[in-house]
Amino acid sequence: MRQTLIMGNWKMNGTRAESQALAKAIVAGLDAGDQGIAVCVPFVYLSDVLSIIESTPVALGAQNVADQEKGAYTGEISATMLKDCGCTYALVGHSERRTYYGDTDTSVAARFCQAQKQGVTPVLCIGETLEEREQDKTFSVIDQQLNAVIDAAGVEALANAVIAYEPVWAIGTGKTATAEQAQEVHQYIREGLAKQNADVAENVQILYGGSMKPENAGELLSMNDIDGGLIGGASLDAESFLSIYRSA
Ligand code: 13P
């Protein structure tokens, strides 16, 4: 049985005080036995948030990680630093990174490897644009983004990773993939992995991301191959985020 994982991605939002308040409100809504919940916080607030979620069920994640180990890379944050700051997870290859900051399949694979080397679990984000979907390229885009990582790290590396399918056209647009559209891609990903390693395919958590909200989370999360959510906008409100968590 795969454990469900509900992960918030706060993106570039909030002040220190707001981040602390949000973390406190999330913690306040949880019970001791809860698990499978995480927040990906802006780098500068990782430590502030850690001090609130330490010894609670909420795990800490970063939104990116450098593709190099250390050295003269001004402005970058290494996997060692993230580990040191208490991160369990790091997003790699988020579509906003790929679109606005030039992250390529090659650099995403390098980030993935750096995170794993330090024991930070990479959350590999993949997904097609609207144009690619309309040209029937969804599966080939998924293959290309996933294979870049498998070629660099080996399929077994996905045993210690999370995959997030985030159709670019559904991110921040209010347009959610239907449960069937999402399930189709999640199943495609899992079946493709199963051809290479059945255990990895069976156990890897595949999250859906893209306008997931309390109103649609239940249906999406009821699908066989959807093991959780990566939530942007709705994760900035503790009540919405907790409501999604409860529907899982
Ligand atoms: P939204 O939930 O705001 O669409 O963002 C999804 C996302 O990009 C999570 O990483």
Side-chain angles (χ1 to χ4, degrees), residues 9 11 94 96 166 170-172 210-212 230-233:
N9 174 8
K11 308 194 180 183
H94 192 281
E96 287 149 18
E166 298 206 298
I171 296 178
S211 299
M212 192 185 264
L230 181 55
I231 298 121

Side-chain angles (χ1 to χ4, degrees), residues 53-83:
I53 64 176
E54 234 169 353
S55 343
T56 79
V58 187
L60 188 65
Q63 298 172 15
N64 188 22
V65 57
D67 59 356
Q68 303 289 329
E69 193 165 330
K70 63 174 181 177
Y73 301 101
T74 302
E76 291 298 297
I77 306 287
S78 72
T80 313
M81 294 168 186
L82 296 185
K83 185 74 190 172

